[in-house]
Amino acid sequence: MAVAEIIGAAVGVLILIIVAYIVVGSTLSAAETVSNAQKDLTLQHESRLQTSFVITDKDKNGPIINISITNTGTEVIRDFSHMVIFTHTIGDSQGYRNLNYEKMTCGIEGTWCIRDELGIVPDTIHPNQLDPGEKMYIMATSPSGTSPDWCQITTGNGVYATAYL
């Protein structure tokens, strides 16, 4: 009988050690996940605070909008695929329309692109990225039948600038 009690006690202690290891391990893992998430959120907020741009020139020719923006912040704007241009036409029953980035071809309805002939000026430090102080020339093409009266350019981190056309 004494052997059975010793074996039972040993099994109980072993189970307690395993449970304690699992609890401590999962607590440390959860703390690491929360810490990494807070770090990523802080970096994203810092990037947003340092991002700033203004619409410097705009010209509308029917559904085609030519816009130039100047990076007035300290953050490089590089993720054009997540930048969106919203437009609004007075009297349009569909309301606001979003134009997505098209890297290869300018002039496709419902898209915007960096104009080939002008691009980013001066594009010397980080090619194909909008560095602080640089100017980017954009051509946006609204869906046919619309001639926008207002536009908003929004970066991937949520910073935006608006203009009446």
Side-chain angles (χ1 to χ4, degrees):
M1 254 340 198
V3 174
E5 291 176 7
I6 292 174
I7 291 175
V11 168
V13 168
L14 183 62
I15 290 174
L16 281 174
I17 290 172
I18 291 172
V19 168
Y21 180 75
I22 290 172
V23 168
V24 169
S26 63
T27 302
L28 289 175
S29 176
E32 182 181 5
T33 302
V34 168
S35 174
N36 286 338
Q38 287 177 335
K39 177 183 167 190
D40 291 345
L41 185 61
T42 301
L43 289 174
Q44 185 178 19
H45 283 303
E46 183 180 331
S47 169
R48 183 173 183 183
L49 287 173
Q50 295 177 358
T51 302
S52 177
F53 66 95
V54 293
I55 297 174
T56 50
D57 298 308
K58 56 196 180 292
D59 178 45
K60 177 177 74 167
N61 185 11
I64 297 175
I65 310 165
N66 291 307
I67 305 168
S68 64
I69 63 172
T70 301
N71 185 346
T72 57
T74 58
E75 184 76 16
V76 177
I77 299 173
R78 61 177 61 90
D79 189 11
F80 300 127
S81 63
H82 288 104
M83 282 180 69
V84 178
I85 296 179
F86 295 99
T87 61
H88 184 267
T89 304
I90 295 173
D92 186 3
S93 62
Q94 291 194 334
Y96 296 92
R97 298 180 184 252
N98 65 312
L99 312 177
N100 295 315
Y101 178 63
E102 172 61 42
K103 184 177 183 175
M104 301 307 236
T105 309
C106 282
I108 298 174
E109 290 183 0
T111 65
W112 71 271
C113 64
I114 300 170
R115 291 178 55 187
D116 292 332
E117 66 276 7
L118 299 172
I120 299 172
V121 179
D123 198 16
T124 54
I125 297 175
H126 299 108
N128 301 320
Q129 297 177 10
L130 188 61
D131 296 311
E134 291 183 343
K135 191 174 197 176
M136 179 169 68
Y137 294 88
I138 295 172
M139 184 174 95
T141 308
S142 290
S144 64
T146 63
S147 180
D149 299 306
W150 175 88
C151 74
Q152 173 180 310
I153 302 171
T154 306
T155 63
N157 61 6
V159 177
Y160 64 90
T162 61
Y164 284 97
L165 305 171

